[in-house]
Amino acid sequence: MALASLAPVLVAWCLTPPGFVFTGLLMNPLDNAGYLAEMRSSAAGAWLPSVPYIVEPHPQVLIHPQYVLLGKVAGVFGIPVPVVFHGARALFGLLVLLTAFSFFAASTPNRLIRRDAILLLATGGGVSWATSRLGFLGSDATIPESLTFAGMMGNPHFPLATALFLAAPLAILWTFPAVSWRQSIGASACTMALAAIQPFLLVSQGLVFACWAVVMMRLGHSWRQFLRPAIALIFLAPLPVALYLGLQLYGDPVLSQWMVQNTSFSPPPLV
């Protein structure tokens, strides 16, 4: 699936008419053009690139560290920025599938369930094809990262964020209720990276953890097991990263106005 996500881009590149330049972007071109611009700026030496399509003076903020690092890879090794961008898409797409399979393996010993779960995750496409006839569009049609394959097609940070979202609980799921500080630090590194890449996913992650904790307590586990320092660290560690981004993005009048367009509305709850 990860390699298949590269096929449409390769086809479009091969079919580009003479005299035209293919940007390398098929999905979400408005956002992805900005990411490519950040990568080019980083490849040229910048560590704190400006938001490329804001003409007003604004502070340089580390908004997308993943694209700064990918730009450095392109600059150091002399690889074209679009090639690094799409290579990262495929690499992180493979990472999310491997992480998801490990998560399913830690969740159930049933091989049939694990197989069906990874197949649905990798190929599932939602039901907007049916509900659209009734006037409803679900998140599968409006939010690319709500589907694994669409996320792989979108950009590198969609699959990377999903992998980090799963890796944090996976770090403690293997041995729960025993949780070592080593596991806690590994999971905390994942939540800190997630805060830097897609901080709003921390809210979803916290809600999922709370629901899981309630289920486990109903199965006989003590509530104290979920309030241990080793587990609390996982959710406290990313807060400084999220706070930094919030202060930088919403504390500056220009960046805060730019963030107005960075809004994705939830679909109706029953779709």
Side-chain angles (χ1 to χ4, degrees):
M1 295 299 295
L3 292 177
S5 69
L6 297 176
V9 176
L10 293 175
V11 171
W13 177 68
C14 292
L15 296 179
T16 302
F20 288 82
V21 176
F22 177 45
T23 63
L25 303 176
L26 292 178
M27 292 186 63
N28 198 18
L30 298 180
D31 287 344
N32 286 342
Y35 302 148
L36 289 178
E38 290 181 35
M39 289 177 63
R40 290 190 175 96
S41 178
S42 299
W47 281 98
L48 292 174
S50 301
V51 179
Y53 299 111
I54 296 181
V55 296
E56 294 85 355
H58 61 278
Q60 294 176 309
V61 183
L62 189 61
I63 303 176
H64 302 122
Q66 66 275 20
Y67 294 113
V68 172
L69 294 177
L70 289 175
K72 295 301 179 185
V73 170
V76 169
F77 295 99
I79 306 173
V81 164
V83 173
V84 174
F85 181 89
H86 291 295
R89 273 201 311 108
L91 179 63
F92 295 147
L94 177 61
L95 176 64
V96 72
L97 293 178
L98 293 176
T99 305
F101 184 81
S102 299
F103 183 85
F104 296 142
S107 303
T108 174
N110 189 307
R111 291 187 177 182
L112 182 61
I113 294 177
R114 296 201 305 249
R115 184 201 66 186
D116 292 345
I118 194 65
L119 286 175
L120 285 172
L121 181 78
T123 63
V127 295
S128 285
W129 58 271
T131 61
S132 61
R133 299 182 64 86
L134 304 176
F136 296 103
L137 288 178
S139 61
D140 56 300
T142 59
I143 306 175
E145 60 266 42
S146 64
L147 297 175
T148 306
F149 187 71
M152 293 182 193
M153 286 291 299
N155 54 51
H157 78 262
F158 284 168
L160 176 59
T162 305
L164 293 169
F165 183 91
L166 292 172
L170 177 62
I172 63 175
L173 193 58
W174 283 113
T175 60
F176 187 83
V179 179
S180 68
W181 279 106
R182 182 177 181 179
Q183 291 171 286
S184 175
I185 292 172
S188 299
C190 292
T191 55
M192 291 177 68
L194 184 60
I197 295 172
Q198 273 190 304
F200 59 85
L201 280 182
L202 293 174
V203 177
S204 301
Q205 194 174 59
L207 291 174
V208 171
F209 176 81
C211 293
W212 174 69
V214 169
V215 171
M216 296 301 286
M217 284 188 285
R218 291 185 63 86
L219 293 176
H221 290 271
S222 170
W223 60 270
R224 294 183 176 85
Q225 293 177 329
F226 302 96
L227 297 179
R228 286 174 291 174
I231 290 183
L233 177 64
I234 299 171
F235 297 96
L236 294 176
L239 294 184
V241 180
L243 181 62
Y244 164 80
L245 287 174
L247 291 175
Q248 294 295 319
L249 291 175
Y250 293 99
D252 178 78
V254 175
L255 291 178
S256 63
Q257 186 62 35
W258 172 70
M259 286 295 292
V260 171
Q261 54 80 36
N262 192 24
T263 303
S264 296
F265 293 98
S266 299
L270 298 181
V271 180

